[in-house]
Amino acid sequence: MISGVGAFLKELLGELAGEVVLTVVACLAVVGLALAFVWGWERSSLATGGVGGALLAFLGYGGWELLRPARPGRRGRLAGVAAATFAVAALFIAYAWSCTCS
């Protein structure tokens, strides 16, 4: 019985630590992106807008590749990278949404 409680507590603490680490990484990513945007905007607003637009287009392509119906054949490398980037960005956005690091 005691070993069952110990295993439960170990799993609970592991999950809590994982959540905390993921939330901190997501908050730091949001802060880093905001600082990079402000720095880039001060240097060149045109280049910053272009890079931001290209990043949004890449994420949109990744979302489209991830959510469209599967077709026969192998998915290309760019499509796989775009889909993985979209999935990671969506996960970070979900965790950063609850971020109280403002």
Side-chain angles (χ1 to χ4, degrees), residues 20-74:
V20 167
V21 167
L22 195 54
T23 302
V24 167
V25 168
C27 286
L28 290 176
V30 168
V31 169
L33 283 173
L35 289 175
F37 179 79
V38 169
W39 179 82
W41 194 264
E42 290 174 354
R43 302 282 184 239
S44 171
S45 59
L46 183 63
T48 303
V51 169
L55 181 62
L56 285 177
F58 186 70
L59 287 174
Y61 174 63
W64 179 71
E65 282 290 331
L66 191 64
L67 300 175
R68 74 180 180 147
R71 65 178 175 179
R74 200 177 88 153

